[in-house]
Amino acid sequence: MSGIKKSCDVVVVGAGIVGCSVAHALVGKGLTVVLTDAGAVGGGTTSASFSWVNATSKVNDEPYFYFNAEGVRLYHDMVEEWGPKLTGIHQTGVIAWSSANDTARTKELRQNAKLLNRWDYPAVWVDHKDLAQLEPKISFEDSAQGYFVENDCWIDVDLFLQFLTRQLHQAGAQIMEYCPALELIATEEGKVLGVETTQGRVSCGSLVLATGVHSPQVLSQITGHEGFASRFPLQQAPGLLVLTPPGGPALVHRVIYSSDSSGLHMRDAGQGRLLLAADDTDGLVSENGSVDTATQAAKLLLERTKQLISECKGVESIEQCQIKVGVRGVPNDGRSIAGPALSADGLYLAITHSGVTLAPIIGQLIASCVETGVVPEQLVPFSLDRFDTFI
Ligand SMILES: Cc1cc2nc3c(=O)[nH]c(=O)nc-3n(C[C@H](O)[C@H](O)[C@H](O)COP(=O)(O)OP(=O)(O)OC[C@H]3O[C@@H](n4cnc5c(N)ncnc54)[C@H](O)[C@@H]3O)c2cc1C
């Protein structure tokens, strides 16, 4: 393949929130970086994310919980250093509640709150009066009780990526959009030498693959090993988001996880808009599914929200809302795949669900791995070789 030849220490393939964060951490270590994407920066799954930065929902897996809590901590550090406006990080916390009549859900919330407190991630138990103070526009049942976790945040992904890419440009990194990686160049012994792209070859000592849900196919294509596409332990999990139209002041202040058994959740999205999602409607949509199915599921989300927030009744039809379907890449055991790939020396993987929460911590740890050649202790549980098919 002819074309412009470039050279750098590290190529990062995939400029979603994970790839941008990895690149940001690498330039922070003084390494030269080329970041390349098949499309536009942030145009993949990252553009269709609820973007709740949290460890609260990870209490069923202690090591993974702490990994996420580190991600959350790094976002708070960024706000401290750069401020909320520049970074788009909203330090709002989350509330989750149930009606006292729903004994099973109340028990679950109490157990979760206990664990969060034990793991130094404070959860304050709140009753109807506290909830009404925290969220005056929500109609809570009289018996409502639950928890408020202040640590959680949500981020404005567009602003956050603008912040990262500005810093990358300032540090001299090159960002190549609409430039898919085509082929990994390596020695016969498997040492990474570079990557062929549609805009020419980029020589490098290391390559980090952060191509999200597309990773099995990309790995297969760039290495020529079909096994990656057929055996890579990653599942696709579509999700539905509904963005209500602009209105008056914000309707909610925190990330809201309702008592609704559907797992309805929402957050402010600026200009009085709400971003809505639910665990059950995710199961109703697919990437290439019919528009009708997505619209029906979106209607359901809007109706449920109107029951909770009467001021939302002003949104008369779903046609006034924006509907998005995003596809998550979820490793088979629900954890991340982050660290050296087994097949080539200098090839690293950064593939995860909860990628918004985990991007900063995965970025830092992968950068440390690339710089020193040593896998940090925190990454050990997330290596690809835990999956039998890849040993
Ligand atoms: C509905 C929904 C809600 C979610 N909510 C949350 C949440 O609340 N909190 C949370 O933490 N996470 C959430 N997630 C998950 C999170 O959004 C993802 O984990 C994260 O966005 C993944 O980022 P990424 O950078 O790995 O992937 P992507 O954003 O998909 O980026 C990968 C990039 O690789 C590029 N690419 C593909 N092939 C090539 C190639 N050959 N060469 C170069 N580039 C290539 C693509 O163009 C793409 O830009 C949600 C996801 C969905 C779908």
Side-chain angles (χ1 to χ4, degrees), residues 33 39 70 91 191 212 234 263 282 294 298 308 311 344 356 373 381:
V33 172
E70 275 297 282
Q91 296 168 299
K191 171 81 194 84
L234 192 76
D282 280 0
L308 210 57
E311 282 185 43
V356 173

Side-chain angles (χ1 to χ4, degrees), residues 13-19 36-39 44-46 48-52 180-181 210-212 214 218 239 241 326-328 352-357:
V13 178
I17 194 163
V18 173
T36 173
D37 197 288
T45 306
T46 300
S49 180
F50 187 71
S51 59
W52 170 27
T211 44
H214 307 286
V218 177
L241 298 173
V327 184
R328 312 160 173 94
T352 191
H353 172 47
S354 288
V356 173
T357 303

Side-chain angles (χ1 to χ4, degrees), residues 80-100:
E80 189 136 314
E81 188 167 0
W82 303 99
K85 283 214 173 100
L86 213 57
T87 53
I89 301 167
H90 296 253
Q91 296 168 299
T92 60
V94 64
I95 59 167
W97 74 94
S98 80
S99 141

Side-chain angles (χ1 to χ4, degrees), residues 187-207:
T187 63
E188 276 190 7
E189 294 72 40
K191 171 81 194 84
V192 169
L193 296 175
V195 63
E196 203 66 71
T197 75
T198 52
Q199 295 177 28
R201 182 173 293 196
V202 187
S203 312
C204 61
S206 305
L207 183 140

Side-chain angles (χ1 to χ4, degrees), residues 3-279:
I4 307 157
K5 290 196 171 56
K6 292 188 187 349
S7 170
C8 62
D9 295 324
V10 192
V11 172
V12 179
V13 178
I17 194 163
V18 173
C20 288
S21 301
V22 170
H24 189 251
L26 287 164
V27 298
K29 295 196 173 293
L31 295 165
T32 54
V33 172
V34 170
L35 173 62
T36 173
D37 197 288
V41 169
T45 306
T46 300
S47 66
S49 180
F50 187 71
S51 59
W52 170 27
V53 169
N54 82 94
T56 303
S57 68
K58 320 284 168 42
V59 285
N60 55 354
D61 179 347
E62 191 173 349
Y64 190 57
F65 167 87
Y66 281 116
F67 197 44
N68 280 267
E70 275 297 282
V72 177
R73 185 182 64 75
L74 291 176
Y75 277 105
H76 287 292
D77 288 354
M78 282 186 260
V79 176
E80 189 136 314
E81 188 167 0
W82 303 99
K85 283 214 173 100
L86 213 57
T87 53
I89 301 167
H90 296 253
Q91 296 168 299
T92 60
V94 64
I95 59 167
W97 74 94
S98 80
S99 141
N101 304 330
D102 187 345
T103 46
R105 166 112 171 123
T106 305
K107 191 173 165 204
E108 185 192 344
L109 286 179
R110 280 204 183 272
Q111 274 169 352
N112 289 355
K114 216 165 151 183
L115 272 182
L116 290 167
N117 283 317
R118 192 182 304 153
W119 293 344
D120 211 16
Y121 199 89
V124 179
W125 196 251
V126 287
D127 61 13
H128 177 272
K129 193 165 136 264
D130 307 317
L131 287 163
Q133 253 170 24
L134 287 165
E135 292 297 345
K137 300 206 172 181
I138 294 186
S139 317
F140 295 102
E141 308 92 322
D142 287 346
S143 65
Q145 52 183 311
Y147 56 64
F148 170 49
V149 178
E150 200 176 3
N151 254 350
D152 288 0
C153 313
W154 65 267
I155 66 162
D156 178 327
V157 166
D158 290 343
L159 265 181
F160 185 67
L161 291 185
Q162 280 167 28
F163 163 73
L164 289 185
T165 48
R166 221 172 16 248
Q167 293 218 332
L168 284 172
H169 283 302
Q170 281 164 9
Q174 289 191 56
I175 303 177
M176 298 164 72
E177 293 182 294
Y178 303 97
C179 178
L182 301 175
E183 188 188 348
L184 184 72
I185 314 295
T187 63
E188 276 190 7
E189 294 72 40
K191 171 81 194 84
V192 169
L193 296 175
V195 63
E196 203 66 71
T197 75
T198 52
Q199 295 177 28
R201 182 173 293 196
V202 187
S203 312
C204 61
S206 305
L207 183 140
V208 182
L209 194 93
T211 44
V213 69
H214 307 286
S215 300
Q217 289 70 31
V218 177
L219 270 168
S220 189
Q221 186 193 347
I222 67 172
T223 61
H225 295 302
E226 193 281 328
F228 280 117
S230 56
R231 291 191 295 123
F232 198 82
L234 192 76
Q235 294 164 21
Q236 300 198 350
L240 175 77
L241 298 173
V242 173
L243 184 65
T244 63
L251 294 173
V252 300
H253 305 295
R254 335 269 152 197
V255 176
I256 307 294
Y257 226 97
S258 86
S259 62
D260 189 323
S261 60
S262 69
L264 175 68
H265 42 289
M266 65 187 76
R267 64 164 174 81
D268 177 46
Q271 303 171 317
R273 294 171 305 178
L274 285 173
L275 187 65
L276 315 174
D279 299 338

